[in-house]
Amino acid sequence: MARYVINGGRPLRGEVHISGAKNSALPIIVASCLASEGETVLENVPHDGDVGTICLILRSLGVELWFDAKGRLHVKGHTLKAHQAPYNLVRRMRASFYCAGLLLARLGKAEVPLPGGCSIGSRPVDFHIKGFTQMGADVYIEHGFMKASCPKLKGINYFINRSSVGTTINLMIAASLADGTTVLENCAKEPEVVDLAIFLNGMGAKVRGAGTDIIRIDGVEALHGTEYSIIPDRIEAGTYMFAAALTGGDVVVKDIVTEHLRSPMLKMEEAGIIIEKGDNAVRVTAPNGLKAIDVETTPYPGFPTDLQQPLVAAMSIAEGTSVIRETIFDRFRYVDEIRRMGADIKVERESAIIRGVTQLTGAPVEVTDLRAGAALVIAALAASGRTEVYGLEILERGYEGMEAKLQGLGADIIREETETVTDIFSQVETINL
Ligand code: UD1
């Protein structure tokens, strides 16, 4: 258990390096175990909690993997042996369900816990399961697990009900070793889907059309290890861009792909943020403060749901009233925490109505979900006084070295361990009766 202690009100200044994308690294690490020969070496893998968890899950399935001194991840995919993914690790994140596509494709059987509901609402996996079933798998749900078997998956034509990143990825993984051709329609077009396709093709797969509505995968007999570098994390980049603007700072956010941030950058500019675009970097300032804007989250290339929370933090001190509509998940539970810092936010169904205040004030707050954690931190950086952000284990699932990166930009932030149950009990007086 840990917390950040942040003394806000300091403009961020300097340069910040953006890590590899968590949401790309997770499926790529899983997909590397499709290989029946050779070793995969992955560069630019973020060292965050979710990546650590997926590594532990794969290791529990027999996979040999390790990080070298340069931080590159080596995976011997052919060492995959077991087909039962452990609940105690899988429960930590929904992306673990990618193991289902992998295990069915490589071992012909899979037992993977169903991801439960989470703090951003119900997140079913029905589209994934329907796809596996159509590919010929015999799927049933028992004791909270999805149990599936199929000696050899077959190619299918499948229309995904609603643009879903996870379904597109899971079925791409499953289809790579299937018998015949799979055509997925209404696919997610996120850069992480394209990254996975390029990686799979490097392993010998035949994937075409990633980044469009229709992805075609010609199944192959076998795949091999390869070397690959993960794309930069567009959500982390957007988060630091909002942090720079919110604190009235001047920050170069570097090692990014600016094209992946087109929609958020348009909205930032509408809000008065000045963005100077360079090669794989942007300089962000907001010398005249922020103006209220209206935004709706939509699948890529629209405004990402994972930047909705930092946007709400920014709009909390913008001039005027903003309406932010969330169309992907039930993702406004965290606003109670920002309200504790003086924000004026009302939630009506799927919209947050934010009346900008002149100043946020520090307060103790609790991280409710990964992206909300980032919003609380950047609100704290702009607030007057001291904020304690509790529940860092959730935040650290998806942001590599946030404390060090912010310190490098001049923020007054430290990380402290908080009390364990043993610590608490050691403070309770013991009376021998
Ligand atoms: C991924 C990202 C997450 C991001 C989200 C939307 C990863 C590891 N996570 O999550 O950061 O916020 O995309 O960009 O990449 N749905 C169903 N049934 C299904 C699958 C999805 O109803 O079987 C619904 C979901 O509840 C949601 C919508 O479809 O309302 C989109 O979800 P999806 O794109 O699948 O999100 P994830 O892949 O879970």
Side-chain angles (χ1 to χ4, degrees), residues 154-376:
K154 63 176 191 310
I156 51 166
N157 281 12
Y158 185 67
F159 185 93
I160 304 170
N161 242 359
R162 169 179 184 175
S163 171
S164 156
V165 176
T167 312
T168 306
I169 283 175
N170 224 343
L171 296 183
M172 280 165 73
I173 291 173
S176 292
L177 290 176
D179 200 4
T181 297
T182 295
V183 179
L184 302 175
E185 288 184 64
N186 197 27
C187 292
K189 299 192 274 282
E190 269 68 0
E192 295 76 19
V193 170
V194 178
D195 210 29
L196 173 66
I198 299 170
F199 171 74
L200 284 169
N201 288 342
M203 296 178 77
K206 292 190 175 157
V207 182
R208 278 173 286 163
T212 74
D213 284 338
I214 300 181
I215 300 179
R216 184 187 163 103
I217 305 132
D218 294 323
V220 295
E221 274 304 310
L223 294 167
H224 52 77
T226 185
E227 289 190 11
Y228 195 68
S229 182
I230 311 281
I231 54 168
D233 195 315
R234 63 196 165 97
I235 304 303
E236 189 196 25
T239 303
Y240 283 98
M241 291 171 77
F242 276 121
L246 203 74
T247 59
D250 183 344
V251 173
V252 174
V253 178
K254 59 180 194 177
D255 307 317
I256 63 173
V257 178
T258 47
E259 290 75 21
H260 292 168
L261 284 149
R262 269 208 199 104
S263 165
M265 286 201 295
L266 279 174
K267 284 296 175 185
M268 287 180 196
E269 284 170 340
E270 198 183 316
I273 300 174
I274 294 172
I275 303 171
E276 291 169 42
K277 300 171 191 98
D279 280 347
N280 304 327
V282 286
R283 178 177 172 206
V284 181
T285 52
N288 302 316
L290 300 175
K291 290 192 300 258
I293 53 168
D294 295 340
V295 176
E296 182 172 291
T297 63
T298 47
Y300 190 85
F303 192 93
T305 173
D306 288 350
L307 282 177
Q308 175 257 101
Q309 306 78 351
L311 169 69
V312 166
M315 290 301 99
S316 299
I317 56 163
E319 192 188 328
T321 300
S322 320
V323 179
I324 312 297
R325 186 161 170 262
E326 170 60 62
T327 71
I328 315 284
F329 294 117
D330 173 13
R331 259 189 159 168
F332 282 129
R333 294 175 197 193
Y334 72 96
V335 299
D336 285 340
E337 298 301 305
I338 299 202
R339 281 199 199 108
R340 291 160 60 79
M341 301 174 75
D344 181 351
I345 308 174
K346 198 164 76 179
V347 176
E348 282 181 6
R349 290 202 230 166
E350 73 272 30
S351 295
I353 299 145
I354 307 151
R355 274 183 237 272
V357 296
T358 44
Q359 176 79 69
L360 295 173
T361 48
V365 289
E366 178 87 33
V367 175
T368 52
D369 72 82
L370 173 60
R371 305 302 176 186
L376 293 172

